[in-house]
Amino acid sequence: MKKVKSLVLAGLLALAPTLVSHAPALAQDNAATAAPTADNVAAPAESANVTAPAAAQAAPAAKVAAPPRMKPTPGIGMPKPGEITLQEQFTETGHTARWLHDKMLLPLITIISVFVALLMLYVMIRFRRSANPVPSKTSHNTLIEVIWTVVPVVILLVIAVPSIGLLADQYKPAPKDAVTVKVTGYQWYWGYEYPDNAIPEFVSNMLTKEKAAENGEPYLLAPDNRLVLPVGRPIRLIITGADVIHAFAVPSLWVKMDAVPGRLNEKSFTIEKPGVYYGQCSELCGARHGFMPIAIEALPPEQFDQWVLSQGGTLAGKEAEKTADAAPAADAKI
């Protein structure tokens, strides 16, 4: 038994130097094994730091509430009972057109009509057979011929100058920063799309008589979805048709343009006052031609921007810059 103990002790003494020399290596292996665990603990924190901004960017922005639906004002943007002239205008070209119609054309037409009626009455009485048994043999009168040639030419020139100016203004191209809307006529409703604001097309159908009365809007003129536009900003409408020829017309804004399939027609204008402006299709387009109304809701610029954001759209151009400038300075520090 003593010999066995002696052999075991001798073996342990022989292996002792080897165990001592391998101890540092074993310690390093253990440390290396434990290190990944520590790294794994720290890794999620780093991943969270990297992922947090991306998640914040991917998260949808807070829902912006749309401004309340504007109530129409009787007599503004719609016909008035007993009205015999053009509707009150709310664009620059509309003011020019109404002035040309009311202050120039109507007085001239009235004066010419009364003058011709009196002249014919005079001729019928003065040169009737009983009062003039021997007719005049006069074939030429230089003064009269000069007058009836020069006076109509002068009248036409007076009318032509403002008319040509109005015609040029009606087709003046919109500026680059104009709010662009694509208008498409369908049988029998309208579609509106805001390409610069990333708002996809939505359609506009006429309200029923009961729903129009509930909303306090004129029947046959009120649709469910309005074309929303800003006040004081230039507007560019790109107008086309999807099936047959329609016509986009809003009389109080002096807007009328054919919607022709396969063609893009452009109309530009600037609305001066907030309100609801009504119109209708003005081209015979089928059985329900009289039931595809137009309603433009003109909002102040800030409310229009709010409406764009509420529809999931984006602000373009100067409006986006203003929004960025209004952002809190703390965002820049982050």
Side-chain angles (χ1 to χ4, degrees):
M1 190 66 183
K2 292 181 179 180
K3 292 181 179 180
V4 173
K5 291 182 179 179
S6 300
L7 290 172
V8 171
L9 290 173
L12 291 175
L13 292 174
L15 293 174
T18 305
L19 294 173
V20 172
S21 63
H22 285 283
L26 292 173
Q28 292 177 1
D29 292 342
N30 293 334
T33 304
T37 305
D39 293 341
N40 291 336
V41 173
E46 295 177 359
S47 300
N49 293 335
V50 173
T51 308
Q57 293 176 0
K63 182 68 175 178
V64 177
R69 186 179 176 96
M70 184 177 290
K71 294 290 185 181
T73 303
I76 295 180
M78 66 181 78
K80 297 178 182 178
E83 193 171 39
I84 59 173
T85 184
L86 301 175
Q87 293 184 27
E88 185 179 355
Q89 298 298 306
F90 296 92
T91 61
E92 184 177 352
T93 53
H95 291 309
T96 304
R98 185 169 181 175
W99 173 87
L100 181 64
H101 177 268
D102 292 351
K103 306 300 182 182
M104 180 174 287
L105 295 182
L106 277 181
L108 279 174
I109 291 171
T110 303
I111 293 171
I112 292 172
S113 299
V114 170
F115 173 74
V116 172
L118 292 176
L119 185 61
M120 291 182 66
L121 185 63
Y122 170 77
V123 170
M124 291 166 62
I125 296 173
R126 171 66 179 80
F127 296 102
R128 70 187 189 278
R129 178 179 293 182
S130 60
N132 192 35
V134 181
S136 173
K137 303 296 183 180
T138 303
S139 60
H140 296 284
N141 187 306
T142 304
L143 178 61
I144 292 178
E145 290 177 355
V146 169
I147 291 175
W148 74 35
T149 301
V150 172
V151 171
V153 169
V154 172
I155 292 174
L156 291 176
L157 286 175
V158 170
I159 295 174
V161 173
S163 297
I164 293 174
L166 175 61
L167 189 64
D169 290 342
Q170 289 181 138
Y171 293 95
K172 185 182 297 182
K176 292 183 179 180
D177 60 345
V179 176
T180 302
V181 180
K182 183 182 178 184
V183 178
T184 305
Y186 298 92
Q187 289 182 313
W188 289 272
Y189 56 92
W190 294 98
Y192 304 121
E193 179 184 356
Y194 296 71
D196 292 345
N197 300 105
I199 299 178
E201 184 181 59
F202 59 89
V203 298
S204 177
N205 288 285
M206 188 182 75
L207 291 176
T208 62
K209 187 173 184 179
E210 295 75 18
K211 188 63 177 177
E214 180 184 340
N215 290 355
E217 299 186 62
Y219 177 51
L220 299 179
L221 289 178
D224 50 2
N225 295 315
R226 297 169 175 171
L227 172 59
V228 180
L229 296 174
V231 172
R233 292 180 187 169
I235 296 160
R236 178 194 295 110
L237 298 184
I238 306 297
I239 303 172
T240 188
D243 32 50
V244 298
I245 299 177
H246 303 271
F248 187 87
V250 183
S252 58
L253 299 178
W254 202 254
V255 172
K256 184 177 182 180
M257 181 62 69
D258 282 348
V260 183
R263 178 181 297 177
L264 297 177
N265 291 330
E266 181 175 320
K267 188 69 176 178
S268 63
F269 56 96
T270 302
I271 304 175
E272 298 175 343
K273 182 179 179 180
V276 182
Y277 303 94
Y278 294 100
Q280 288 179 309
C281 175
S282 297
E283 184 74 35
L284 293 175
C285 59
R288 293 186 59 81
H289 155 71
F291 304 99
M292 49 183 302
I294 302 163
I296 293 180
E297 183 172 341
L299 297 175
E302 297 78 11
Q303 291 188 25
F304 173 76
D305 293 343
Q306 178 185 350
W307 178 85
V308 169
L309 296 175
S310 72
Q311 303 303 307
T314 58
L315 302 180
K318 295 181 179 178
E319 287 69 41
E321 294 176 3
K322 291 178 181 177
T323 304
D325 292 341
D331 293 345
K333 296 180 180 178
I334 293 174

